[in-house]
Amino acid sequence: MEHRDSPPPGNTPPRTAFEDIPSQRETLFRNVLAYQPVNEQEAADKQVILNCLKTQPDCFDRSALAHMACSIWTVDPAKTKTLMVYHNIYDSWSWIGGHADGQCDLAAVALRELEEETGISDARLAPCGIYSLEVLTVDGHVKRGEYVGSHLHLNVTYLAIASPSEPLRIKPDENSGVKWVALDEVVGISTEPWIAERIYRKLIDKLPSIDLSTG
């Protein structure tokens, strides 16, 4: 006997865009899908990230060649400076971030990385949601005595607000310096030209249009 809720023949419901995506990834997938790219770099990288979220079961595991990561662009309430760390591996003043390592709530991961790398524990996320998207190349390097092969970070960036008066500390196995940097000095202190010009400048340029209030 046909179940009363079964669709009539020929009226099979259409497949949804999320049908083949594990349920725990749907929120992130939807948020990335809804994000409006600000330039060609973001438009191209958004499609790469969406495709990996939809088709690569292991993309939240750092063992994958291309895996999910997050960054957190942290500014003071006046939007005049950002918090940066001197990254040991990249040998440059850098933004803050880390790997998903199996977690799909990348906003929570980003806040955790901020506290671990800088000591900032009282930051809040801006209400804009995802702040930027990037596919970042990572050259092979040695970390904690072991070689890590070249790979890609499928990066989701969030915007956070914190007080410059909050105490700072380094995380010795990750960085050797933490400081607030005036926005007009950020590009100049980075020794990574592509990141400085393509990413940091983008993050700085879009900041004036972002409302940091919570309502």
Side-chain angles (χ1 to χ4, degrees):
M1 179 181 294
E2 184 177 348
H3 193 278
R4 63 183 297 177
D5 293 329
S6 298
N11 289 331
T12 303
R15 294 168 67 87
T16 70
F18 311 104
E19 185 170 347
D20 298 321
I21 302 172
S23 59
Q24 68 270 23
R25 302 185 189 191
E26 288 187 11
T27 297
L28 179 62
F29 186 98
R30 291 176 187 272
N31 289 341
V32 173
L33 186 65
Y35 177 78
Q36 296 299 313
V38 299
N39 57 24
E40 292 180 339
Q41 169 264 309
E42 289 198 339
D45 291 353
K46 173 181 175 178
Q47 294 309 310
V48 174
I49 294 171
L50 287 173
N51 183 64
C52 286
L53 284 172
K54 190 171 183 179
T55 65
Q56 303 300 318
D58 62 348
C59 71
F60 284 85
D61 188 329
R62 70 171 73 190
S63 64
L65 180 61
H67 51 257
M68 299 303 300
C70 60
S71 295
I72 188 161
W73 187 249
T74 307
V75 299
D76 66 313
K79 298 193 288 189
T80 61
K81 47 193 171 183
T82 188
L83 189 62
M84 304 190 80
V85 298
Y86 197 89
H87 201 288
N88 293 340
I89 290 175
Y90 301 139
D91 195 22
S92 176
W93 285 102
S94 173
W95 56 355
I96 296 132
H99 294 87
D101 283 336
Q103 297 190 42
C104 298
D105 187 352
L106 294 185
V109 175
L111 283 172
R112 184 193 69 209
E113 291 289 334
L114 176 62
E115 181 170 6
E116 289 181 354
E117 293 188 29
T118 71
I120 294 286
S121 60
D122 197 29
R124 64 176 176 86
L125 292 177
C128 59
I130 292 174
Y131 189 52
S132 71
L133 296 174
E134 300 84 23
V135 174
L136 305 173
T137 59
V138 181
D139 292 337
H141 57 271
V142 175
K143 185 171 184 178
R144 300 186 180 98
E146 295 186 2
Y147 182 76
V148 179
S150 299
H151 55 274
L152 295 177
H153 281 177
L154 308 174
N155 197 63
V156 180
T157 300
Y158 297 90
L159 178 64
I161 306 95
S163 171
S165 64
E166 191 166 350
L168 302 176
R169 58 162 172 74
I170 66 169
K171 187 174 186 288
D173 63 333
E174 296 275 350
N175 62 67
S176 54
V178 181
K179 68 178 180 179
W180 288 93
V181 179
L183 292 180
D184 60 3
E185 297 176 3
V186 169
V187 171
I189 70 169
S190 172
T191 58
E192 301 174 278
W194 189 89
I195 292 287
E197 291 294 336
R198 289 283 187 169
I199 307 302
Y200 296 161
R201 195 175 294 281
K202 173 188 69 173
L203 300 179
I204 293 167
D205 288 347
K206 71 184 298 185
L207 190 57
S209 66
I210 302 297
D211 184 2
L212 302 185
S213 65
T214 57

